[in-house]
Amino acid sequence: MHDTLGLAHAGIALSGVNLSLGRGAARVHILKDIDLNIGRGEAIGLVGPSGSGKSTLLMVMAGLERADTGTVVVAGETLGLLGEDALARFRGRNVGIVFQSFHLIPTMTALENIAVPLELAGSEDAHERALEELAAVGLSERRHHYPAELSGGEQQRVALARALAPNPAILIADEPTGNLDEATGSEIIKLLFAGHEQRGTTLVLVTHDHALAARCDRVVRLRSGRIEPAPQAAAAAVRA
Amino acid sequence: MGAGTLPLRFALRELRGGLRGFYVFIACIALGVMAIAGVGALSAGLADGLAHEGRVILGGDLAFSLSLRETDDQERAFLARQGRVSLAATMRAMARTQNTREHAGGDGGSALVEIKAVDVAYPLYGEVELDPPQPLAQVLAQRNGAFGAAADPALLARLDLAPGARISIGSASIEIRAALEGEPDKLAGGIGFGPRLLISEAALRASGLVQPGSIVRWHYRVRLPDNDITDAAVSAVRAAAATELPEAGWDIRTRSNASPALEQNVERFTQYMTLVGLTALLVGGVGVANAVKGHLDRRRDVIATLKSLGAGGRRVFAIYFTQVLVLAALGALPGLALGAALPFLAAWAFAALLPLPLVPAIHPLGLALAFAYGILTAAAFALWPLGRAHDVPASALFRDEVAGARYRPRAAYIAATALAVIALAALAVALAYDRRIAVIFVVAAGAVFVLLRLVATLLMWIAGRMPRPRSPVVRLAIANIHRPGALAPSVVLSLGLGLALLVTVIAIDGNLRRQFLAALPDKAPSLYFVDIPSADAEKFDAFIQAQAPGAKLDRVPMLRGRIVAANGVPAEQLKPSPDAAWTLQSDRGVTYGDEVPAGSRVIAGEWWKEDYQGPPLVSFEKRIADGLGLKLGDRITVNVLGRNITATIANLRALDWQSLGINFVMVFSPNTFRGAPHTHIATLTYPGAAGAPPSARDEVALLKAVADAFPTVTTVRVREVLEAVGGLVSNLVLAIRGASALTLLVAVLVLGGALAAGHRHRVYDAVILKTLGATRLRLLSAYALEYFALGVATAVFGVAAGSAAAAFVVTRLMHLPFAFVPGPLALAAAGAVLATVALGLAGTFTALGHKPAPVLRNL
């Protein structure tokens, strides 16, 4: 089954993607015949039970895993054609990732954490831009603090600022509120969607929260490694 | 700030987290660099001291030495033209007290002395220190029927003499007027067998000891005019001597090589100590590898995060490699400071005790070399685990991976590791005094590393295939040995290296002591007699047989000669091996004979017939011949008594040097020295090892009888000489033991670090097991058993490897027999096992003390 919205203005386009992990008897077919097109600037919510392959699908889109078969086109670039270092550079400039566990670098300050992708991309004004991003998430006064000195919500705000700093084409958020309380989580989601709307980034949001997923332009459901058809498409198929 | 500085920026930010996990790394590099820098600085200080004090040590700007003869008129005139000349004649003789009733002391009133007879110009440089202080000329002057002398305090003690006492040297009466506290040119004379007695040239001539063929060395020291004492002037005089008097056959030394033997020994000793320092660094390298591996394991998430943010594998490697270099420099710098300070400390603390002059200074090149060794070692051991950082997947952030599968880094990093290792080895070999030894060390070190890795692998393989024991304690211990991430490889490597070195040093030490204090004396002669006049030779034989019936007397003629050329190539242009170089440095004893000497065996060529009358032939000792590049049929030119004599090598011999019998490198056909004045040398060996050796009392009685009957004959008690040499060897071994102790310290640090690296796993294991019902005693028992097994397996290998290395050194390099020394080795092995268990349990105690709840919450 596959999602069949048009390919013409795709931010992310997966076609016939299959991926298995593990070796020998432990090898598992995680992603099965994935076809998915996400328009530029579109926000999609990716939902599904544990073990359905959501994280793996995210990693394929981010270029962190290579598909066994099929093509993956992100921001106009066919990822399968890029070498390892080219993929890393592409990621740094075009893909921002917000993790559930924040994954800030503990020995760098909030400002330095945000500047990392800019420095890796060779930006001359990395620190100035990082300051702007930090201000955008309301943490200018915490710029010299280390992650251990920040609350969970503040860490996630820094992580969001880091993901947005390179003005990426794609923003991936993997359960961004999973380690936060409800109130703090709401703040983060507000900032996440604000960032997406202001910059026109394509947003892929993995969540267990159906209400949150419903805020996206579209919800994609994954089950056992396959994309479930959208309800209206399923109904049309039944009628046909 | 550009992309070029990014690795350094990121590396320094990473280090803000503190140096936890790197203390052993830094300590290992610091200790290893300190050892190499210290040895280099001390050696340079000694070399500078020898060079700086060259003219004082030599006694002049140049020294011309002759054996068995004095200078002729032409030679004297030549020397006088060059500058101020001073004569010092040296020989061994017997000093006899004149009033034996008063004599106490255990030597029967006789003692072997090293005579130095000097003229009024002595010393040309430096000062003679006398007690009581007084002008030397006054001490040595002849008055009241006796010549004056200054004596080594050891002689005064041995013969129980006070200043003013009289002794006899030959037929001269000598009054001891002062104790000799310091002799400016003592070092150039090498090691003597007896205490020094300083007398005047006139006293020596009056003693009757100077006879044709007597073994007297005549040293003519020249002090160049003050207005022309440059190195060029010294070289010019040397060149003039070679041009104007090519047949003189004298041994010429200049102030820049006042004591070549001493300089070579300093260099040789430096090399050995550097190798021990390198061993410390190599053992420390294991600590580096463990620390880097542990650090990268802890930094896995950060590496994955960097990759998710756009850092490629090479960039990640660059960041962490830069970090390793910064840490290595952090360790090397204090090591350099301490090493550089060592000669200053030695000069301050031990100035009075040091037998050699020491000029402490900062030697940038030596320090740079030690720094290079430190950085290269860190790189060689860190590149492999760092290479793995290249391949840490960013997907690790999304997926909780159970302990990563072991895999090799990419080929580029394996090649880089190999290059670093080769560079380290090349540096060690290229800068070594004896490259053969350095190559042997490099190969042996590599072999030990590989073997230790194999031992660890074998141990884990055996543990993995053992039948399942019933006892859960034993089961846990065995499982810990072979589980993924087990400590076995780190523990075996660090403990094994340190123990192998310790065992090597102990075994060599034990064998040397055995040789000098036990084995050699058993088969060595008891007494040596030197300077037996040819005319008295048969009378001497009869005398000895009457005094010591049944003892075996071996007597051979002896002259002194210097090798001046081989196959027409002057000796200065020959390139001898380090083992043979000593034969070219000054005169050697030479002899002649009809028969193959006792203790020798002809292994190539033929011995000449008994009545051979043809051109001179010579029998050469095989190893020395090989070292000089000589073979059968080659020609060797030796200067004896001022005449150059060329002989053809007729045969090659193997010698048993350990017999301490009369052994000569060169034995000539009898017709070679017909008519040349010479003396004889003899050994006296008492019958059978099974029989009682002569008592000291018997030896002394014979010594006195010989001294009374033959005043010009010098008697040497071999046992005393062996004790003196044994003492020297003990001191040398003490220094090597000190350096080895440093290596052991590094090994203990690395072992402790390796065991501490497993601490996190221990906490995890302990918490889970305690939750499931295991008591602390059970857990401790399991861990103790695990460490005991590792310690025993490593100790077996360490003892075997160390013994093999010691056997190689003793048999192939020192050419002595080797014997296993079980007692000390067992002690070393037991100590190693104890250390492993103790260090392991020390870390485990704290792990077992962790409360389960906080750990379980974070799982």
Side-chain angles (χ1 to χ4, degrees), chain B residues 165-538:
Chain B
R166 291 197 178 193
I167 57 174
S168 297
I169 299 288
S171 53
S173 183
I174 307 290
E175 183 180 65
I176 298 179
R177 297 184 184 142
L180 183 62
E181 299 290 346
E183 211 180 315
D185 55 341
K186 183 174 182 174
L187 286 175
I191 300 169
F193 291 146
R196 172 72 80 209
L197 185 71
L198 189 64
I199 61 177
S200 64
E201 180 193 346
L204 180 65
R205 294 193 191 281
S207 69
L209 293 177
V210 181
Q211 301 291 333
S214 301
I215 304 176
V216 185
R217 254 178 98 68
W218 303 91
H219 307 277
Y220 299 88
R221 283 82 173 267
V222 176
R223 179 171 175 152
L224 298 180
D226 287 344
N227 59 340
D228 192 12
I229 51 171
T230 59
D231 288 343
V234 169
S235 301
V237 170
R238 189 180 188 140
T243 309
E244 294 181 37
L245 299 158
E247 297 273 315
W250 40 26
D251 175 20
I252 305 174
R253 289 194 202 166
T254 67
R255 62 191 184 208
S256 58
N257 72 329
S259 181
L262 201 55
E263 285 166 20
Q264 271 177 11
N265 287 332
V266 168
E267 277 199 58
R268 198 188 294 266
F269 191 67
T270 302
Q271 166 163 343
Y272 289 130
M273 299 295 279
T274 303
L275 290 180
V276 175
L278 262 181
T279 307
L281 212 48
L282 288 177
V283 174
V286 176
V288 165
N290 289 343
V292 171
K293 183 173 173 305
H295 179 62
L296 292 175
D297 282 346
R298 290 190 299 273
R299 279 290 183 266
R300 200 176 156 82
D301 276 2
V302 171
I303 294 170
T305 302
L306 286 171
K307 285 198 159 179
S308 71
L309 296 173
R314 273 198 290 247
R315 194 155 243 184
V316 165
F317 167 81
I319 291 168
Y320 287 93
F321 185 56
T322 304
Q323 210 172 53
V324 164
L325 292 179
V326 166
L327 289 165
L330 212 58
L333 288 174
L336 286 178
L338 288 169
L342 187 61
F344 293 92
L345 279 169
W348 172 71
F350 303 113
L353 298 172
L354 284 172
L356 305 177
L358 177 63
V359 176
I362 302 293
H363 294 268
L365 203 60
L367 294 179
L369 180 65
F371 187 78
Y373 271 125
I375 298 298
L376 266 177
T377 303
F381 283 87
L383 279 168
W384 189 284
L386 280 173
R388 291 202 197 122
H390 184 125
D391 293 312
V392 169
S395 56
L397 296 175
F398 291 91
R399 193 176 285 127
D400 275 337
E401 292 180 349
V402 179
R406 282 196 300 182
Y407 57 95
R408 284 204 188 113
R410 295 175 181 221
Y413 298 111
I414 296 177
T417 303
L419 267 174
V421 169
I422 289 168
L424 201 52
L427 202 59
V429 171
L431 300 176
Y433 169 73
D434 187 334
R435 287 190 182 164
R436 191 174 65 108
I437 303 283
V439 167
I440 291 170
F441 169 82
V442 164
V443 169
V448 166
F449 264 88
V450 168
L451 283 171
L452 281 169
R453 197 69 184 87
L454 287 174
V455 165
T457 305
L458 183 66
L459 193 62
M460 292 167 77
W461 186 85
I462 291 173
R465 278 152 186 77
M466 281 182 73
R468 192 179 159 81
R470 296 180 83 176
S471 159
V473 166
V474 177
R475 237 187 356 259
L476 181 60
I478 291 173
N480 277 342
I481 290 174
H482 68 86
R483 64 170 169 76
L487 295 174
S490 302
V491 170
V492 168
L493 201 50
S494 53
L495 183 69
L497 278 173
L499 185 61
L501 178 69
L502 178 67
V503 164
T504 305
V505 171
I506 288 175
I508 292 174
D509 179 21
N511 273 271
L512 284 179
R513 284 174 180 282
R514 214 176 59 87
Q515 281 297 315
F516 284 102
L517 300 177
L520 280 179
D522 280 348
K523 47 186 177 181
S526 298
L527 297 167
Y528 256 76
F529 302 101
V530 180
D531 272 342
I532 304 167
S534 286
D536 291 342
E538 286 177 10

Side-chain angles (χ1 to χ4, degrees), chain B residues 753-774:
Chain B
L755 292 167
H759 179 74
R760 233 166 26 116
H761 290 294
R762 296 288 141 150
V763 170
Y764 181 92
D765 290 350
V767 162
I768 299 295
L769 290 166
K770 273 162 65 174
T771 307
L772 296 173

Side-chain angles (χ1 to χ4, degrees), chain A residues 21 56 59 64-65 84-85 88 91-92 97 99 103 105-108 112 116-117 119-120 127 146 162 174, chain B residues 6 9-10 13-14 16-17 299 305-307 309-315 390 394-395 397-399 410:
Chain A
L21 294 171
T56 307
M59 285 194 271
L64 296 174
E65 285 281 8
E84 184 196 329
D85 284 346
R91 222 175 10 248
I97 310 176
F99 301 94
H103 287 308
I105 297 172
T107 53
M108 295 191 195
E112 287 168 344
V116 166
E119 288 182 280
L120 289 171
H127 273 239
Y146 291 92
R162 181 180 68 183
D174 182 16
Chain B
L6 186 141
R9 291 204 309 274
F10 277 41
R13 288 179 199 169
E14 276 271 284
R16 288 179 192 157
R299 279 290 183 266
T305 302
L306 286 171
K307 285 198 159 179
L309 296 173
R314 273 198 290 247
R315 194 155 243 184
H390 184 125
S395 56
L397 296 175
F398 291 91
R399 193 176 285 127
R410 295 175 181 221

